[in-house]
C-alpha cells in the first residue's frame, strides 16, 4: 500500500485554480468535486469485476459487474462533504459513513463529535474523503475508528497533502492507500499546508 500522487494534467490544472486566494465558494465546490471524480477513477481502477449474463437488445450478453459489497464513502465533517458528490457521481450506490472531527487549533489534535457508520462496514472498502491531509491527526483518528469497527480495506482521497501527514500515515498505517491531487511543500508553524489551499472548510461552506 502506498502514496498515489494523481498528477493527471486535468488535476494539476484544477488544483492550480483551487489555490487562487479569491476563489468563490461555488467555484471551489465545483472544482473539489471535479477533482474527486478523477481521484475516484484512479482509486477504483483495481476493483475486481465478475461476469454476469443479462438480456441485451439482441439476446443474452455477458457483461462485467463490480464484485463484492458496495464501498462505503467516509466524508470527514465538515470539509469532506465538499467531495462527496464527486464520489456519488462515479459510485452512485456507495453507502455513506459520516464522521465528524475538528482540529483543536492550539494543540492540532483532532476532536471527534460525530460518528455514524454504514451497515456491514467490515465487509466494505472505505473511501475516506477530506480535502486536506496536514499533520495526519484527523486521518489517523478516522482510520483507527474504521479499523475498530472491523474495516479491513481503507483508502483516503485528498485534494492536497503535506509530507508530514503522509509520512505519519504511511508509518502508522502501512496498509492504507493515500490518493492525493497534490503533495505540497510543508506545514507552517500553526499547522497549515504551504502553499496549500487555505481553510478548505471555510472555502466550501463560506
Ligand atoms: C481540516 C481538514 C482536516 C484537518 C486536517 O479540518 O479538513 O479534517 O483539518 O488536519 P490534520 O491532518 O492536521 O488533522 P478542520 O479542523 O479545519 O475542520 P472543518 O473541516 O470542519 O473545517
Amino acid at each position: 500500500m502506498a502514496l498515489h500522487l494523481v498528477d493527471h494534467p486535468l488535476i494539476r490544472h484544477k488544483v492550480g485554480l483551487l489555490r487562487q486566494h479569491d476563489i468563490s465558494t461555488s467555484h471551489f465546490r465545483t472544482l473539489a468535486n471535479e477533482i474527486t471524480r478523477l481521484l475516484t477513477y484512479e482509486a477504483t481502477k483495481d476493483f475486481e469485476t465478475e461476469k454476469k449474463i443479462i438480456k441485451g437488445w439482441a439476446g443474452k450478453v455477458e457483461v462485467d459487474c463490480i464484485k463484492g459489497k458496495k464501498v462505503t464513502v467516509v466524508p470527514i465533517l465538515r470539509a469532506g462533504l465538499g467531495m462527496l458528490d464527486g464520489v456519488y457521481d462515479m459510485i452512485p450506490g456507495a453507502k455513506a459513513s459520516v464522521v465528524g472531527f475538528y482540529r483543536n487549533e492550539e494543540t492540532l489534535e483532532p476532536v471527534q463529535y460525530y460518528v455514524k457508520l454504514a451497515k456491514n462496514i467490515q465487509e466494505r472498502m472505505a473511501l475516506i474523503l477530506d480535502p486536506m491531509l496536514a499533520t495526519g491527526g484527523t486521518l489517523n483518528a478516522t482510520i483507527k475508528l474504521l479499523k475498530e469497527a472491523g474495516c479491513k480495506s481503507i483508502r483516503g482521497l485528498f485534494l492536497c497533502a503535506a509530507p508530514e501527514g503522509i509520512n505519519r500515515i504511511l508509518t502508522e498505517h502501512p496498509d492504507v492507500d493515500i490518493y492525493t491531487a497534490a503533495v505540497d511543500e510543508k506545514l507552517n508553524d500553526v499547522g497549515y499546508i504551504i502553499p496549500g489551499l487555505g481553510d478548505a472548510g471555510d472555502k466550501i461552506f463560506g
Side-chain angles (χ1 to χ4, degrees):
M1 311 288 169
L3 171 69
H4 306 262
L5 172 60
V6 189
D7 61 352
H8 187 286
L10 285 175
I11 290 195
R12 283 187 279 125
H13 180 85
K14 290 174 192 294
V15 169
L17 296 174
L18 268 187
R19 293 191 197 276
Q20 295 173 124
H21 80 282
D22 57 351
I23 188 168
S24 69
T25 300
S26 82
H27 195 201
F28 193 97
R29 277 201 299 257
T30 300
L31 287 164
N33 280 307
E34 287 174 357
I35 294 170
T36 303
R37 281 184 214 122
L38 297 164
L39 291 173
T40 304
Y41 176 83
E42 193 65 20
T44 55
K45 73 178 184 190
D46 62 347
F47 274 19
E48 268 189 79
T49 57
E50 60 190 353
K51 301 289 182 195
K52 191 173 157 186
I53 306 284
I54 62 159
K55 190 174 167 194
W57 73 277
K60 285 182 181 173
V61 59
E62 189 179 70
V63 297
D64 290 309
C65 300
I66 303 283
K67 198 174 171 183
K69 276 247 186 266
K70 299 260 181 345
V71 305
T72 183
V73 59
V74 189
I76 302 179
L77 302 177
R78 302 177 289 174
L81 288 180
M83 300 168 71
L84 186 57
D85 285 345
V87 175
Y88 280 148
D89 286 346
M90 298 290 106
I91 316 177
K95 308 294 173 196
S97 296
V98 180
V99 302
F101 285 97
Y102 68 86
R103 199 171 66 155
N104 178 314
E105 291 304 334
E106 280 169 19
T107 63
L108 300 183
E109 288 301 314
V111 182
Q112 185 183 309
Y113 60 91
Y114 188 79
V115 182
K116 178 76 179 172
L117 302 180
K119 284 191 197 122
N120 309 117
I121 196 162
Q122 65 283 356
E123 297 169 42
R124 303 180 189 279
M125 173 185 285
L127 288 182
I128 298 171
L129 305 181
D130 197 334
M132 316 295 286
L133 170 54
T135 65
T138 304
L139 179 58
N140 182 45
T142 303
I143 292 170
K144 281 188 177 165
L145 186 154
L146 292 172
K147 285 183 174 176
E148 278 162 20
C151 205
K152 292 170 204 73
S153 176
I154 301 174
R155 296 178 179 183
L157 310 188
F158 303 90
L159 302 181
C160 181
E164 292 88 335
I166 293 168
N167 292 336
R168 175 173 180 184
I169 298 303
L170 293 181
T171 304
E172 295 189 28
H173 301 283
D175 53 332
V176 170
D177 279 291
I178 296 170
Y179 293 82
T180 184
V183 175
D184 276 11
E185 195 188 325
K186 60 176 182 180
L187 293 179
N188 69 9
D189 53 9
V190 288
Y192 273 72
I193 302 174
I194 301 296
L197 308 174
D199 187 320
D202 287 354
K203 296 210 169 186
I204 289 165
F205 290 99

